Amino acid sequence: MEDTEPTATRRSVIRGALGAGVTALGLSTVGTAAAGDGPPAAEPVLLVNGYSDTEDTPWWDVLESHFRDVGYTDDEVHRADLGDVPGTTVDSPTEYAEVVADRLAAISEEYGGEVDVVAHSMGGLDSRWAIEKLEAAQYVDDLVTLGTPHQGTYVAYLGALTDGGRDMIPGSEFLEALNDGRLAESVGYLALWSSADELIDPDEYAKLPDPEAASVDVARSENSGYQEHIQLVADRDVFEQYYRFLG
């Protein structure tokens, strides 16, 4: 991605302030796949951040390095631009879905083909709404979600003063509209959920609902292990569990 100088300065400040968190969480860029093996698919990938997060936080740098390790070029890894300041990206997934849909259309047009999506937390809801409600399925091959509250999370009550928080409460109008029994038939779905995710309560609510998963040929939920919520983005073992699915 091409940045202007003010954006580069903003990113350097954010990364400098938050970089210590990467080390504190035990996140590493050391991988097991051999560099230069080549990506598992020809599609570029769009990374979508979640509630209160931005594309500039350091765990996304770590994840992008994992993609480069397995053969993706810088031009093949994109990030959604949902907001600039951590803590402020708390609007409804329906609003961010419009941004995601536009980014998918632009990337697809540039590359002349489909795009894979890797989305974290509420970013998976943004992506599903774009794919399933805004006709962005035509641009997408596979969707991987990491700790996405597909069935809501009771922790969302802590954010009930925000549109995004209310939409993630189990049984919300948004979730009822999203989980209408059908996924996009042309898209492959993989939902990873962690047994140690402190922000998804209960943990299993990061699974795709059974009726939706049964509605298409390729849709499954897998347990990633015992990662905390942010660790799901940058943990190398989690990456190894899903990146070959993008093919």
Side-chain angles (χ1 to χ4, degrees):
M1 295 179 296
E2 186 174 335
D3 294 314
T4 62
E5 184 57 32
T7 302
T9 301
R10 183 189 72 244
R11 286 184 174 179
S12 66
V13 171
I14 292 173
R15 289 169 179 168
L18 297 177
V22 174
T23 302
L25 286 170
L27 306 179
S28 172
T29 61
V30 177
T32 58
D37 282 350
E43 296 90 10
V45 61
L46 176 65
L47 309 179
V48 184
N49 60 268
Y51 181 87
S52 198
D53 195 10
T54 78
E55 63 174 305
D56 297 317
T57 45
W59 32 90
W60 294 104
D61 293 337
V62 177
L63 178 55
E64 191 165 321
S65 74
H66 294 337
F67 277 102
R68 288 196 297 269
D69 284 347
V70 297
Y72 285 77
T73 67
D74 290 345
D75 290 340
E76 291 170 334
V77 183
H78 303 259
R79 305 189 199 187
D81 186 5
L82 304 182
D84 296 334
V85 181
T88 64
T89 51
V90 294
D91 292 329
S92 171
T94 59
E95 293 190 29
Y96 297 123
E98 295 181 6
V99 179
V100 173
D102 288 344
R103 291 286 284 128
L104 287 169
I107 297 168
S108 177
E109 181 178 0
E110 178 182 356
Y111 285 87
E114 294 178 318
V115 182
D116 291 324
V117 181
V118 176
H120 176 242
S121 193
M122 192 177 80
L125 302 180
D126 307 344
S127 300
R128 281 188 58 199
W129 193 270
I131 291 168
E132 297 160 28
K133 306 300 182 183
L134 301 183
E135 301 183 350
Q138 61 187 305
Y139 309 120
V140 177
D141 184 21
D142 297 307
L143 169 64
V144 172
T145 64
L146 309 172
T148 287
H150 292 288
Q151 302 176 63
T153 171
Y154 287 103
V155 176
Y157 277 105
L158 298 176
L161 295 179
T162 68
D163 290 342
R166 287 191 294 273
D167 283 349
M168 290 188 289
I169 292 173
S172 70
E173 290 184 7
F174 166 79
L175 287 173
E176 289 186 356
L178 179 64
N179 294 324
D180 60 359
R182 299 292 301 177
L183 298 178
E185 292 183 3
S186 61
V187 176
Y189 290 80
L190 175 61
L192 296 187
W193 63 280
S194 167
S195 297
D197 192 330
E198 76 283 8
L199 295 185
I200 306 298
D201 180 26
D203 297 331
E204 292 84 355
Y205 275 20
K207 295 180 179 180
L208 292 164
D210 289 339
E212 282 70 25
S215 71
V216 295
D217 291 335
V218 182
R220 64 179 190 264
S221 300
E222 295 182 0
N223 182 259
S224 63
Y226 293 89
Q227 300 83 15
E228 294 182 356
H229 194 63
I230 290 298
Q231 284 181 294
L232 286 166
V233 178
D235 187 276
R236 184 64 188 224
D237 289 338
V238 175
F239 176 77
E240 294 285 340
Q241 187 171 345
Y242 70 77
Y243 91 88
R244 292 181 181 85
F245 176 78
L246 305 176

